[in-house]
Amino acid sequence: MSNLSITATPPSKTPVLVAICLAAIILPLSFVSGSIATPVIGRELGGSAQALSWITNAFMLSFGCFLMAAGALADEIGRKKVFIVGVSLFALLSGLIGFSSNLLWIDVMRAAQGVAAAAALAGGSASLAHEFSGRAQTRAFSLLGSSFGIGLAFGPFLAGLLIAHFGWRSVFLSSMVIALLSLSIGVTRLNESKNPNAAGIDWPGTLLFTAMLALLTWGLMDIPVKGVASFEVITLLLATLVLLVLFIVVERKVSHPMLDLSLFRYARFIGVQALPLATAFGFVVLLVLLPMQFIGIAGMSEEQAGLMMMALSLPMLVVPLLAAFLTRWISSGIVCTGGLLIAALGLVWLSQSIASQNMLATLLPMTVIGIGIGLPWGLMDGLSISVVPKERAGMATGIFSTTRVAGEGIALAIVGAMLAGFVGQGIAKITPNSDSASASVAIQRLAIGDLHQTQRVLPQASAQQLTEIYAGALHHLLLWLAALTLISAVIVYVALCLKKHIAPQPVNEALYQQDQ
Protein backbone atom coordinates (compact mmCIF):
# COMPACT_ATOMS: atom_id res chain seq x y z
CA MET A 1 0.00 0.00 0.00
CA SER A 2 2.98 2.33 0.27
CA ASN A 3 2.88 3.12 -3.43
CA LEU A 4 -0.57 4.64 -2.90
CA SER A 5 0.49 6.84 -0.03
CA ILE A 6 -0.14 10.55 -0.18
CA THR A 7 3.19 11.02 1.59
CA ALA A 8 4.91 9.81 -1.57
CA THR A 9 3.42 12.80 -3.38
CA PRO A 10 5.38 16.10 -3.57
CA PRO A 11 4.11 18.34 -0.72
CA SER A 12 3.04 21.13 -3.07
CA LYS A 13 0.87 18.69 -5.02
CA THR A 14 -0.77 16.97 -2.03
CA PRO A 15 -3.70 19.44 -1.71
CA VAL A 16 -4.45 19.01 -5.43
CA LEU A 17 -4.54 15.24 -5.03
CA VAL A 18 -6.72 15.47 -1.91
CA ALA A 19 -9.21 17.82 -3.60
CA ILE A 20 -9.66 15.58 -6.64
CA CYS A 21 -9.83 12.37 -4.59
CA LEU A 22 -12.49 13.87 -2.31
CA ALA A 23 -14.54 14.67 -5.41
CA ALA A 24 -13.97 11.10 -6.63
CA ILE A 25 -15.32 9.67 -3.38
CA ILE A 26 -18.68 11.46 -3.64
CA LEU A 27 -19.49 10.20 -7.16
CA PRO A 28 -19.94 6.48 -6.28
CA LEU A 29 -21.14 7.55 -2.84
CA SER A 30 -23.97 9.51 -4.45
CA PHE A 31 -24.95 6.56 -6.62
CA VAL A 32 -25.07 3.88 -3.92
CA SER A 33 -26.52 6.24 -1.30
CA GLY A 34 -29.35 7.12 -3.67
CA SER A 35 -30.33 3.47 -4.00
CA ILE A 36 -30.34 3.02 -0.21
CA ALA A 37 -32.39 6.19 0.28
CA THR A 38 -35.01 5.44 -2.41
CA PRO A 39 -37.32 3.22 -0.27
CA VAL A 40 -37.56 5.76 2.54
CA ILE A 41 -38.02 8.62 0.05
CA GLY A 42 -40.91 6.65 -1.43
CA ARG A 43 -42.49 6.20 2.00
CA GLU A 44 -42.24 9.90 2.79
CA LEU A 45 -42.97 11.56 -0.56
CA GLY A 46 -44.96 8.86 -2.35
CA GLY A 47 -44.75 8.77 -6.14
CA SER A 48 -44.98 6.06 -8.77
CA ALA A 49 -42.53 3.19 -8.98
CA GLN A 50 -41.15 4.62 -12.22
CA ALA A 51 -40.60 8.06 -10.66
CA LEU A 52 -38.73 6.46 -7.75
CA SER A 53 -36.54 4.47 -10.17
CA TRP A 54 -35.44 7.71 -11.82
CA ILE A 55 -33.73 8.76 -8.56
CA THR A 56 -30.92 6.38 -9.53
CA ASN A 57 -31.40 6.09 -13.30
CA ALA A 58 -31.48 9.85 -13.99
CA PHE A 59 -28.11 10.30 -12.28
CA MET A 60 -26.44 7.41 -14.11
CA LEU A 61 -27.94 8.30 -17.49
CA SER A 62 -26.84 11.94 -17.53
CA PHE A 63 -23.45 11.02 -16.05
CA GLY A 64 -22.78 8.59 -18.89
CA CYS A 65 -24.18 10.83 -21.63
CA PHE A 66 -22.08 13.89 -20.82
CA LEU A 67 -18.78 12.34 -19.75
CA MET A 68 -17.07 12.59 -23.15
CA ALA A 69 -18.51 16.05 -23.83
CA ALA A 70 -17.24 17.22 -20.43
CA GLY A 71 -13.76 15.93 -21.29
CA ALA A 72 -13.76 17.84 -24.58
CA LEU A 73 -15.02 20.96 -22.80
CA ALA A 74 -12.26 20.67 -20.19
CA ASP A 75 -9.62 20.55 -22.92
CA GLU A 76 -11.23 23.52 -24.66
CA ILE A 77 -11.91 26.03 -21.86
CA GLY A 78 -9.73 24.72 -19.03
CA ARG A 79 -9.58 21.63 -16.80
CA LYS A 80 -9.69 23.61 -13.54
CA LYS A 81 -12.74 25.61 -14.65
CA VAL A 82 -14.70 22.48 -15.56
CA PHE A 83 -13.70 20.72 -12.33
CA ILE A 84 -14.63 23.70 -10.12
CA VAL A 85 -17.95 24.27 -11.91
CA GLY A 86 -18.76 20.55 -11.73
CA VAL A 87 -18.03 20.21 -8.02
CA SER A 88 -19.79 23.51 -7.21
CA LEU A 89 -22.90 22.48 -9.11
CA PHE A 90 -22.79 19.04 -7.48
CA ALA A 91 -22.66 20.64 -4.02
CA LEU A 92 -25.51 23.04 -4.81
CA LEU A 93 -27.75 20.31 -6.21
CA SER A 94 -26.99 17.98 -3.28
CA GLY A 95 -28.14 20.71 -0.90
CA LEU A 96 -31.29 21.40 -2.92
CA ILE A 97 -32.18 17.71 -3.04
CA GLY A 98 -31.67 17.51 0.72
CA PHE A 99 -34.31 20.18 1.25
CA SER A 100 -36.71 19.15 -1.53
CA SER A 101 -40.17 17.68 -0.90
CA ASN A 102 -41.15 17.09 -4.54
CA LEU A 103 -40.19 13.80 -6.16
CA LEU A 104 -40.30 15.19 -9.70
CA TRP A 105 -37.84 17.94 -8.80
CA ILE A 106 -35.62 15.41 -7.05
CA ASP A 107 -35.49 13.36 -10.28
CA VAL A 108 -34.71 16.48 -12.34
CA MET A 109 -31.98 17.56 -9.94
CA ARG A 110 -30.51 14.05 -9.90
CA ALA A 111 -30.20 14.26 -13.70
CA ALA A 112 -28.49 17.64 -13.38
CA GLN A 113 -26.29 16.15 -10.66
CA GLY A 114 -25.13 13.52 -13.17
CA VAL A 115 -24.01 16.29 -15.55
CA ALA A 116 -22.13 17.93 -12.67
CA ALA A 117 -20.51 14.60 -11.80
CA ALA A 118 -19.35 14.19 -15.41
CA ALA A 119 -17.75 17.65 -15.31
CA ALA A 120 -16.09 16.96 -11.95
CA LEU A 121 -14.66 13.61 -13.08
CA ALA A 122 -13.51 14.79 -16.51
CA GLY A 123 -11.97 18.02 -15.22
CA GLY A 124 -10.43 16.33 -12.19
CA SER A 125 -8.87 13.45 -14.12
CA ALA A 126 -7.43 15.77 -16.76
CA SER A 127 -6.06 18.10 -14.06
CA LEU A 128 -4.45 15.15 -12.32
CA ALA A 129 -2.75 14.09 -15.55
CA HIS A 130 -1.48 17.66 -16.01
CA GLU A 131 -0.24 18.13 -12.43
CA PHE A 132 1.64 14.82 -12.15
CA SER A 133 3.99 12.94 -14.43
CA GLY A 134 5.90 9.67 -14.50
CA ARG A 135 5.67 7.42 -11.45
CA ALA A 136 3.99 10.20 -9.43
CA GLN A 137 1.18 10.21 -11.98
CA THR A 138 0.79 6.44 -11.64
CA ARG A 139 0.53 6.78 -7.84
CA ALA A 140 -1.94 9.66 -8.17
CA PHE A 141 -4.27 7.73 -10.46
CA SER A 142 -3.98 4.64 -8.25
CA LEU A 143 -5.12 6.76 -5.31
CA LEU A 144 -7.93 8.17 -7.47
CA GLY A 145 -9.09 4.61 -8.17
CA SER A 146 -8.87 3.78 -4.47
CA SER A 147 -11.05 6.81 -3.73
CA PHE A 148 -13.74 5.41 -6.00
CA GLY A 149 -13.40 2.11 -4.16
CA ILE A 150 -13.85 3.83 -0.78
CA GLY A 151 -17.03 5.55 -1.96
CA LEU A 152 -18.36 2.29 -3.35
CA ALA A 153 -17.42 0.17 -0.34
CA PHE A 154 -18.58 2.43 2.47
CA GLY A 155 -21.40 4.24 0.67
CA PRO A 156 -24.15 1.75 1.58
CA PHE A 157 -23.16 1.62 5.25
CA LEU A 158 -22.74 5.39 5.54
CA ALA A 159 -26.11 5.97 3.86
CA GLY A 160 -27.82 3.46 6.16
CA LEU A 161 -26.22 5.01 9.23
CA LEU A 162 -27.22 8.55 8.23
CA ILE A 163 -30.78 7.55 7.35
CA ALA A 164 -31.23 5.63 10.60
CA HIS A 165 -30.15 8.57 12.76
CA PHE A 166 -30.81 11.73 10.71
CA GLY A 167 -33.20 10.83 7.88
CA TRP A 168 -32.73 10.43 4.12
CA ARG A 169 -32.01 14.13 3.53
CA SER A 170 -28.74 13.83 5.47
CA VAL A 171 -27.43 11.47 2.75
CA PHE A 172 -27.46 14.26 0.17
CA LEU A 173 -26.39 16.95 2.61
CA SER A 174 -23.32 14.89 3.54
CA SER A 175 -22.37 14.76 -0.16
CA MET A 176 -22.70 18.54 -0.24
CA VAL A 177 -20.31 18.87 2.72
CA ILE A 178 -17.67 16.63 1.08
CA ALA A 179 -18.02 18.52 -2.21
CA LEU A 180 -17.57 21.87 -0.45
CA LEU A 181 -14.49 20.52 1.31
CA SER A 182 -13.03 19.45 -2.04
CA LEU A 183 -13.88 22.84 -3.46
CA SER A 184 -12.26 24.75 -0.59
CA ILE A 185 -9.00 22.92 -1.19
CA GLY A 186 -9.04 22.87 -4.98
CA VAL A 187 -9.99 26.46 -5.81
CA THR A 188 -6.66 27.95 -4.75
CA ARG A 189 -4.33 24.99 -5.31
CA LEU A 190 -5.31 23.71 -8.76
CA ASN A 191 -3.46 25.14 -11.75
CA GLU A 192 -5.37 25.92 -14.93
CA SER A 193 -4.48 23.93 -18.04
CA LYS A 194 -5.90 23.48 -21.53
CA ASN A 195 -5.19 21.41 -24.58
CA PRO A 196 -3.73 23.83 -27.17
CA ASN A 197 -4.75 21.41 -29.93
CA ALA A 198 -8.32 20.92 -28.69
CA ALA A 199 -10.74 20.45 -31.57
CA GLY A 200 -13.86 21.57 -29.71
CA ILE A 201 -17.02 19.66 -28.83
CA ASP A 202 -18.80 17.51 -31.39
CA TRP A 203 -22.21 18.99 -30.59
CA PRO A 204 -24.24 17.02 -33.22
CA GLY A 205 -22.71 13.75 -32.01
CA THR A 206 -23.15 14.67 -28.34
CA LEU A 207 -26.82 15.63 -28.76
CA LEU A 208 -27.63 12.53 -30.81
CA PHE A 209 -25.81 10.26 -28.37
CA THR A 210 -27.57 11.82 -25.36
CA ALA A 211 -31.01 11.63 -26.97
CA MET A 212 -30.39 8.03 -28.04
CA LEU A 213 -29.47 6.88 -24.52
CA ALA A 214 -32.34 8.86 -22.97
CA LEU A 215 -34.95 7.32 -25.29
CA LEU A 216 -33.52 3.83 -24.82
CA THR A 217 -33.61 4.13 -21.03
CA TRP A 218 -37.08 5.68 -21.11
CA GLY A 219 -38.37 2.86 -23.35
CA LEU A 220 -36.89 0.16 -21.13
CA MET A 221 -38.35 1.74 -18.01
CA ASP A 222 -41.78 1.97 -19.67
CA ILE A 223 -41.89 -1.80 -20.28
CA PRO A 224 -43.07 -2.71 -16.73
CA VAL A 225 -45.76 0.00 -16.91
CA LYS A 226 -47.11 -0.39 -20.46
CA GLY A 227 -45.80 -3.72 -21.72
CA VAL A 228 -43.10 -4.57 -24.24
CA ALA A 229 -45.59 -4.64 -27.14
CA SER A 230 -47.20 -1.28 -26.33
CA PHE A 231 -47.20 1.49 -28.93
CA GLU A 232 -45.25 3.84 -26.65
CA VAL A 233 -42.44 1.34 -25.94
CA ILE A 234 -42.11 0.26 -29.57
CA THR A 235 -42.04 3.91 -30.68
CA LEU A 236 -39.32 4.80 -28.17
CA LEU A 237 -37.16 1.80 -29.12
CA LEU A 238 -37.58 2.49 -32.86
CA ALA A 239 -36.67 6.14 -32.27
CA THR A 240 -33.56 4.91 -30.44
CA LEU A 241 -32.60 2.83 -33.47
CA VAL A 242 -33.11 5.78 -35.83
CA LEU A 243 -30.94 8.01 -33.63
CA LEU A 244 -28.26 5.31 -33.51
CA VAL A 245 -28.11 5.21 -37.32
CA LEU A 246 -27.97 9.02 -37.47
CA PHE A 247 -25.24 9.07 -34.83
CA ILE A 248 -23.10 6.61 -36.82
CA VAL A 249 -23.59 8.63 -40.03
CA VAL A 250 -22.65 11.90 -38.29
CA GLU A 251 -19.62 10.44 -36.53
CA ARG A 252 -18.28 9.04 -39.81
CA LYS A 253 -18.49 12.47 -41.46
CA VAL A 254 -17.33 15.00 -38.85
CA SER A 255 -13.62 15.80 -38.77
CA HIS A 256 -13.30 15.50 -34.98
CA PRO A 257 -15.92 12.96 -33.86
CA MET A 258 -17.04 12.47 -30.28
CA LEU A 259 -16.61 8.73 -30.82
CA ASP A 260 -14.01 7.34 -33.26
CA LEU A 261 -15.85 4.32 -34.68
CA SER A 262 -12.74 2.99 -36.38
CA LEU A 263 -11.44 1.86 -32.97
CA PHE A 264 -14.02 -0.92 -33.06
CA ARG A 265 -11.97 -2.59 -35.81
CA TYR A 266 -9.70 -3.80 -33.01
CA ALA A 267 -11.07 -7.07 -31.66
CA ARG A 268 -9.20 -6.59 -28.38
CA PHE A 269 -10.75 -3.13 -27.96
CA ILE A 270 -14.23 -4.65 -28.34
CA GLY A 271 -13.29 -7.25 -25.74
CA VAL A 272 -12.28 -4.54 -23.29
CA GLN A 273 -15.71 -2.86 -23.71
CA ALA A 274 -17.29 -6.13 -22.55
CA LEU A 275 -15.62 -5.70 -19.14
CA PRO A 276 -17.54 -2.61 -17.90
CA LEU A 277 -20.77 -4.08 -19.28
CA ALA A 278 -20.11 -7.31 -17.39
CA THR A 279 -19.39 -5.42 -14.17
CA ALA A 280 -22.58 -3.39 -14.69
CA PHE A 281 -24.79 -6.48 -14.95
CA GLY A 282 -22.84 -8.61 -12.48
CA PHE A 283 -22.17 -6.05 -9.76
CA VAL A 284 -23.49 -2.49 -10.15
CA VAL A 285 -27.15 -3.52 -10.54
CA LEU A 286 -26.87 -5.46 -7.27
CA LEU A 287 -26.11 -2.19 -5.48
CA VAL A 288 -29.71 -1.22 -6.32
CA LEU A 289 -31.49 -4.59 -6.30
CA LEU A 290 -30.22 -5.97 -3.01
CA PRO A 291 -31.12 -2.95 -0.83
CA MET A 292 -34.68 -3.26 -2.17
CA GLN A 293 -34.68 -6.92 -1.11
CA PHE A 294 -33.18 -6.26 2.32
CA ILE A 295 -35.22 -3.15 3.21
CA GLY A 296 -38.49 -3.46 1.34
CA ILE A 297 -39.01 -7.24 1.40
CA ALA A 298 -36.99 -8.62 4.31
CA GLY A 299 -37.88 -5.65 6.53
CA MET A 300 -34.35 -4.69 7.55
CA SER A 301 -33.49 -1.16 8.60
CA GLU A 302 -31.43 1.00 6.26
CA GLU A 303 -28.51 0.64 8.65
CA GLN A 304 -28.72 -3.17 8.63
CA ALA A 305 -29.02 -3.20 4.83
CA GLY A 306 -25.93 -0.98 4.56
CA LEU A 307 -23.96 -3.41 6.69
CA MET A 308 -25.13 -6.35 4.57
CA MET A 309 -24.07 -4.55 1.38
CA MET A 310 -20.50 -4.21 2.63
CA ALA A 311 -20.05 -7.94 1.97
CA LEU A 312 -20.46 -7.13 -1.72
CA SER A 313 -18.46 -3.91 -1.89
CA LEU A 314 -15.59 -4.29 0.61
CA PRO A 315 -13.60 -6.65 -1.66
CA MET A 316 -13.32 -3.69 -4.07
CA LEU A 317 -10.81 -2.10 -1.69
CA VAL A 318 -8.36 -4.99 -1.87
CA VAL A 319 -8.99 -7.25 -4.86
CA PRO A 320 -8.13 -4.69 -7.61
CA LEU A 321 -4.66 -4.36 -6.06
CA LEU A 322 -4.39 -8.16 -5.99
CA ALA A 323 -5.31 -8.27 -9.68
CA ALA A 324 -2.43 -5.96 -10.58
CA PHE A 325 -0.11 -8.17 -8.49
CA LEU A 326 -1.29 -11.35 -10.26
CA THR A 327 -0.44 -9.93 -13.70
CA ARG A 328 3.23 -10.48 -12.86
CA TRP A 329 2.65 -14.17 -13.60
CA ILE A 330 -0.72 -14.38 -15.35
CA SER A 331 -1.90 -12.39 -18.40
CA SER A 332 -4.45 -9.68 -17.68
CA GLY A 333 -6.90 -11.36 -20.07
CA ILE A 334 -6.81 -14.58 -18.03
CA VAL A 335 -7.18 -12.68 -14.74
CA CYS A 336 -10.23 -10.82 -16.08
CA THR A 337 -11.79 -13.97 -17.49
CA GLY A 338 -11.22 -15.83 -14.24
CA GLY A 339 -12.75 -12.98 -12.26
CA LEU A 340 -15.92 -13.01 -14.37
CA LEU A 341 -16.21 -16.80 -13.98
CA ILE A 342 -15.94 -16.42 -10.20
CA ALA A 343 -18.59 -13.68 -10.27
CA ALA A 344 -20.93 -15.86 -12.34
CA LEU A 345 -20.53 -18.65 -9.79
CA GLY A 346 -21.30 -16.18 -6.99
CA LEU A 347 -24.45 -14.99 -8.79
CA VAL A 348 -25.74 -18.55 -9.11
CA TRP A 349 -25.00 -19.14 -5.42
CA LEU A 350 -26.72 -15.88 -4.49
CA SER A 351 -29.80 -16.86 -6.48
CA GLN A 352 -30.12 -20.04 -4.39
CA SER A 353 -29.78 -18.06 -1.14
CA ILE A 354 -32.45 -15.59 -2.24
CA ALA A 355 -34.77 -18.43 -3.25
CA SER A 356 -34.43 -19.92 0.24
CA GLN A 357 -35.21 -16.45 1.72
CA ASN A 358 -32.23 -16.76 4.09
CA MET A 359 -30.70 -13.29 4.12
CA LEU A 360 -27.67 -14.23 6.21
CA ALA A 361 -26.87 -16.92 3.66
CA THR A 362 -26.45 -14.18 1.03
CA LEU A 363 -23.29 -12.80 2.68
CA LEU A 364 -20.84 -15.41 1.37
CA PRO A 365 -22.04 -15.38 -2.26
CA MET A 366 -22.05 -11.56 -2.18
CA THR A 367 -18.42 -11.66 -1.08
CA VAL A 368 -17.59 -14.10 -3.88
CA ILE A 369 -19.22 -11.76 -6.42
CA GLY A 370 -17.24 -8.82 -5.04
CA ILE A 371 -14.00 -10.79 -5.30
CA GLY A 372 -14.78 -11.95 -8.83
CA ILE A 373 -15.71 -8.50 -10.15
CA GLY A 374 -12.78 -6.91 -8.30
CA LEU A 375 -10.28 -8.75 -10.54
CA PRO A 376 -11.27 -7.14 -13.87
CA TRP A 377 -12.18 -3.90 -12.05
CA GLY A 378 -8.54 -3.35 -11.17
CA LEU A 379 -7.26 -3.95 -14.71
CA MET A 380 -9.83 -2.75 -17.20
CA ASP A 381 -8.86 0.94 -17.11
CA GLY A 382 -5.28 0.07 -18.07
CA LEU A 383 -6.47 -2.43 -20.68
CA SER A 384 -8.67 0.20 -22.32
CA ILE A 385 -5.55 2.02 -23.57
CA SER A 386 -3.21 -0.97 -23.90
CA VAL A 387 -5.12 -2.54 -26.80
CA VAL A 388 -5.10 0.39 -29.23
CA PRO A 389 -2.31 2.34 -30.96
CA LYS A 390 -0.56 4.87 -28.74
CA GLU A 391 -1.81 7.95 -30.56
CA ARG A 392 -5.45 6.95 -30.02
CA ALA A 393 -5.28 6.30 -26.28
CA GLY A 394 -7.22 9.45 -25.34
CA MET A 395 -10.23 8.55 -27.45
CA ALA A 396 -10.08 4.95 -26.22
CA THR A 397 -10.21 6.12 -22.60
CA GLY A 398 -13.20 8.37 -23.34
CA ILE A 399 -15.10 5.57 -25.06
CA PHE A 400 -14.32 3.16 -22.23
CA SER A 401 -15.47 5.59 -19.53
CA THR A 402 -18.68 6.29 -21.44
CA THR A 403 -19.32 2.58 -21.95
CA ARG A 404 -18.85 2.02 -18.23
CA VAL A 405 -21.13 4.77 -16.93
CA ALA A 406 -23.78 4.73 -19.66
CA GLY A 407 -23.77 0.91 -19.59
CA GLU A 408 -24.55 0.99 -15.89
CA GLY A 409 -27.59 3.19 -16.48
CA ILE A 410 -28.87 0.99 -19.30
CA ALA A 411 -28.19 -2.15 -17.26
CA LEU A 412 -30.32 -0.77 -14.42
CA ALA A 413 -33.20 -0.10 -16.81
CA ILE A 414 -32.96 -3.55 -18.43
CA VAL A 415 -32.75 -5.34 -15.10
CA GLY A 416 -35.69 -3.35 -13.75
CA ALA A 417 -37.81 -4.38 -16.73
CA MET A 418 -36.79 -8.05 -16.37
CA LEU A 419 -37.53 -8.10 -12.65
CA ALA A 420 -40.97 -6.56 -13.24
CA GLY A 421 -41.66 -9.21 -15.87
CA PHE A 422 -40.83 -12.05 -13.48
CA VAL A 423 -42.88 -10.42 -10.71
CA GLY A 424 -45.81 -10.05 -13.11
CA GLN A 425 -45.77 -13.77 -13.85
CA GLY A 426 -45.97 -14.54 -10.14
CA ILE A 427 -48.77 -12.07 -9.43
CA ALA A 428 -50.80 -13.39 -12.37
CA LYS A 429 -50.75 -16.86 -10.81
CA ILE A 430 -52.10 -15.85 -7.40
CA THR A 431 -54.56 -13.16 -8.56
CA PRO A 432 -55.95 -14.39 -11.90
CA ASN A 433 -59.18 -12.40 -11.52
CA SER A 434 -57.76 -9.02 -10.44
CA ASP A 435 -58.27 -6.04 -12.78
CA SER A 436 -55.38 -5.13 -15.03
CA ALA A 437 -54.91 -1.64 -13.55
CA SER A 438 -54.47 -2.97 -10.01
CA ALA A 439 -52.20 -5.77 -11.20
CA SER A 440 -50.01 -3.29 -13.12
CA VAL A 441 -49.59 -1.02 -10.08
CA ALA A 442 -48.89 -4.04 -7.86
CA ILE A 443 -46.21 -5.31 -10.26
CA GLN A 444 -44.47 -1.94 -10.33
CA ARG A 445 -44.60 -1.59 -6.56
CA LEU A 446 -43.36 -5.07 -5.79
CA ALA A 447 -40.61 -4.78 -8.42
CA ILE A 448 -39.08 -1.87 -6.46
CA GLY A 449 -39.40 -3.79 -3.18
CA ASP A 450 -42.43 -1.90 -1.84
CA LEU A 451 -44.19 -4.79 -0.09
CA HIS A 452 -46.47 -2.54 2.01
CA GLN A 453 -47.97 -0.66 -0.95
CA THR A 454 -48.33 -3.87 -2.94
CA GLN A 455 -50.48 -5.34 -0.18
CA ARG A 456 -52.69 -2.25 -0.20
CA VAL A 457 -53.24 -2.64 -3.95
CA LEU A 458 -53.77 -6.42 -3.74
CA PRO A 459 -55.37 -7.08 -0.33
CA GLN A 460 -56.28 -10.61 -1.39
CA ALA A 461 -52.56 -11.52 -1.54
CA SER A 462 -50.77 -12.27 1.71
CA ALA A 463 -47.39 -10.84 2.65
CA GLN A 464 -45.92 -14.35 2.53
CA GLN A 465 -47.19 -14.89 -1.02
CA LEU A 466 -45.79 -11.58 -2.21
CA THR A 467 -42.46 -12.25 -0.49
CA GLU A 468 -42.22 -15.61 -2.25
CA ILE A 469 -43.08 -14.00 -5.59
CA TYR A 470 -40.32 -11.42 -5.19
CA ALA A 471 -37.80 -14.03 -4.05
CA GLY A 472 -38.66 -16.22 -7.05
CA ALA A 473 -38.40 -13.28 -9.44
CA LEU A 474 -35.03 -12.19 -8.04
CA HIS A 475 -33.84 -15.81 -8.13
CA HIS A 476 -34.57 -16.06 -11.87
CA LEU A 477 -33.11 -12.64 -12.57
CA LEU A 478 -29.84 -13.53 -10.82
CA LEU A 479 -29.55 -16.65 -12.96
CA TRP A 480 -29.91 -14.48 -16.07
CA LEU A 481 -27.25 -12.12 -14.73
CA ALA A 482 -24.98 -15.11 -14.13
CA ALA A 483 -25.52 -16.20 -17.75
CA LEU A 484 -24.70 -12.69 -19.05
CA THR A 485 -21.55 -12.61 -16.93
CA LEU A 486 -20.55 -16.02 -18.25
CA ILE A 487 -21.09 -14.89 -21.86
CA SER A 488 -18.99 -11.80 -21.14
CA ALA A 489 -16.22 -14.04 -19.79
CA VAL A 490 -16.20 -15.97 -23.08
CA ILE A 491 -16.06 -12.73 -25.12
CA VAL A 492 -13.22 -11.37 -22.98
CA TYR A 493 -11.26 -14.63 -23.25
CA VAL A 494 -11.64 -14.80 -27.04
CA ALA A 495 -10.81 -11.12 -27.57
CA LEU A 496 -8.00 -10.67 -25.04
CA CYS A 497 -6.43 -14.11 -24.87
CA LEU A 498 -6.88 -15.53 -28.38
CA LYS A 499 -6.77 -12.34 -30.48
CA LYS A 500 -3.14 -11.21 -30.33
CA HIS A 501 -0.94 -8.78 -32.22
CA ILE A 502 -3.97 -6.66 -33.12
CA ALA A 503 -3.04 -3.23 -31.78
CA PRO A 504 0.50 -2.03 -32.54
CA GLN A 505 2.49 0.08 -30.09
CA PRO A 506 0.15 -0.02 -27.11
CA VAL A 507 0.37 2.70 -24.45
CA ASN A 508 0.76 0.38 -21.50
CA GLU A 509 3.66 -1.78 -22.63
CA ALA A 510 3.71 -3.84 -19.41
CA LEU A 511 0.10 -4.93 -19.70
CA TYR A 512 0.44 -5.52 -23.42
CA GLN A 513 3.55 -7.67 -23.04
CA GLN A 514 1.83 -9.79 -20.37
CA ASP A 515 -1.01 -10.45 -22.79
CA GLN A 516 1.39 -11.72 -25.40
Side-chain angles (χ1 to χ4, degrees):
M1 295 293 290
S2 60
N3 65 323
L4 300 181
S5 173
I6 295 180
T7 59
T9 303
S12 61
K13 302 291 187 182
T14 298
V16 172
L17 185 57
V18 171
I20 295 172
C21 286
L22 280 173
I25 287 174
I26 58 175
L27 303 186
L29 183 66
S30 180
F31 166 62
V32 296
S33 297
S35 65
I36 293 285
T38 294
V40 68
I41 292 174
R43 290 196 296 270
E44 181 177 321
L45 303 182
S48 68
Q50 192 176 33
L52 290 168
S53 298
W54 277 109
I55 293 174
T56 298
N57 283 38
F59 177 82
M60 295 305 299
L61 178 64
S62 59
F63 192 3
C65 288
F66 289 96
L67 196 54
M68 290 187 72
L73 188 64
D75 286 343
E76 187 78 21
I77 69 171
R79 284 80 178 252
K80 177 180 177 178
K81 287 189 183 72
V82 171
F83 175 75
I84 296 300
V85 169
V87 177
S88 301
L89 184 59
F90 194 95
L92 174 63
L93 290 165
S94 296
L96 291 174
I97 292 171
F99 288 104
S100 178
S101 296
N102 184 292
L103 184 57
L104 175 61
W105 277 110
I106 289 176
D107 287 342
V108 171
M109 287 188 286
R110 284 287 281 173
Q113 203 176 36
V115 178
L121 179 59
S125 298
S127 293
L128 210 60
H130 174 75
E131 295 280 353
F132 296 88
S133 60
R135 300 183 71 177
Q137 186 181 90
T138 301
R139 288 194 298 269
F141 274 93
S142 295
L143 193 57
L144 182 68
S146 298
S147 300
F148 277 100
I150 290 170
L152 203 62
F154 293 102
F157 174 67
L158 178 61
L161 197 65
L162 288 171
I163 291 170
H165 295 281
F166 305 105
W168 66 266
R169 299 176 189 278
S170 63
V171 168
F172 297 99
L173 294 177
S174 66
S175 292
M176 180 186 72
V177 171
I178 298 173
L180 289 175
L181 182 59
S182 168
L183 203 59
S184 67
I185 299 171
V187 166
T188 57
R189 301 304 182 95
L190 271 172
N191 296 311
E192 186 59 279
S193 63
K194 299 179 183 180
N195 180 359
N197 301 315
I201 300 175
D202 171 21
W203 285 113
T206 299
L207 293 173
L208 285 170
F209 184 76
T210 302
M212 177 184 69
L213 285 182
L215 290 182
L216 175 60
T217 305
W218 187 2
L220 292 170
M221 292 183 68
D222 261 0
I223 291 176
V225 182
K226 299 173 181 175
V228 69
S230 68
F231 174 78
E232 292 88 345
V233 170
I234 291 175
T235 300
L236 287 168
L237 296 182
L238 285 176
T240 300
L241 186 61
V242 171
L243 289 176
L244 174 61
V245 173
L246 288 174
F247 176 73
I248 292 173
V249 171
V250 167
E251 293 304 278
R252 289 173 65 91
K253 290 185 176 181
V254 296
S255 56
H256 300 286
M258 164 190 164
L259 191 153
D260 186 353
L261 298 173
S262 65
L263 283 175
F264 289 92
R265 296 172 184 170
Y266 296 90
R268 288 164 62 79
F269 181 73
I270 295 174
V272 169
Q273 306 315 304
L275 289 171
L277 294 177
T279 59
F281 281 100
F283 176 79
V284 174
V285 297
L286 299 182
L287 298 174
V288 176
L289 290 175
L290 293 179
M292 292 192 298
Q293 163 70 46
F294 296 147
I295 299 169
I297 305 299
M300 294 182 183
S301 69
E302 286 77 15
E303 190 173 5
Q304 290 171 327
L307 279 171
M308 293 283 290
M309 292 300 295
M310 290 184 73
L312 180 69
S313 52
L314 271 180
M316 288 303 195
L317 289 177
V318 179
V319 177
L321 300 176
L322 174 63
F325 182 72
L326 289 175
T327 55
R328 295 182 179 184
W329 303 280
I330 309 170
S331 76
S332 53
I334 293 294
V335 173
C336 291
T337 302
L340 294 181
L341 292 175
I342 292 171
L345 176 64
L347 286 163
V348 173
W349 188 2
L350 181 61
S351 75
Q352 304 306 313
S353 302
I354 292 292
S356 69
Q357 300 182 47
N358 184 349
M359 295 304 102
L360 287 178
T362 64
L363 292 174
L364 280 178
M366 285 166 63
T367 303
V368 170
I369 294 168
I371 292 171
I373 292 297
L375 290 171
W377 194 282
L379 300 176
M380 56 188 185
D381 289 275
L383 280 169
S384 68
I385 58 173
S386 73
V387 295
V388 298
K390 190 173 187 177
E391 64 275 9
R392 308 176 82 177
M395 176 63 73
T397 301
I399 293 174
F400 174 81
S401 298
T402 301
T403 300
R404 170 189 271 175
V405 181
E408 289 168 358
I410 293 171
L412 286 170
I414 292 174
V415 165
M418 292 177 67
L419 182 60
F422 292 134
V423 166
Q425 293 173 10
I427 286 180
K429 290 179 181 178
I430 66 168
T431 58
N433 299 320
S434 62
D435 64 277
S436 58
S438 296
S440 176
V441 173
I443 290 168
Q444 296 172 53
R445 285 292 175 183
L446 191 57
I448 64 168
D450 193 342
L451 185 62
H452 177 69
Q453 289 295 329
T454 308
Q455 279 188 283
R456 293 183 62 180
V457 176
L458 293 179
Q460 67 270 41
S462 68
Q464 181 60 35
Q465 286 178 311
L466 295 174
T467 299
E468 290 175 356
I469 288 172
Y470 189 89
L474 189 53
H475 163 73
H476 286 104
L477 177 61
L478 289 168
L479 290 177
W480 275 100
L481 296 180
L484 288 172
T485 306
L486 189 60
I487 291 170
S488 299
V490 173
I491 294 172
V492 169
Y493 178 75
V494 170
L496 298 185
C497 300
L498 300 184
K499 298 286 185 180
K500 299 181 179 180
H501 310 297
I502 299 296
Q505 297 180 347
V507 173
N508 190 327
E509 294 291 346
L511 276 175
Y512 187 73
Q513 290 300 326
Q514 289 158 4
D515 284 344
Q516 304 311 303

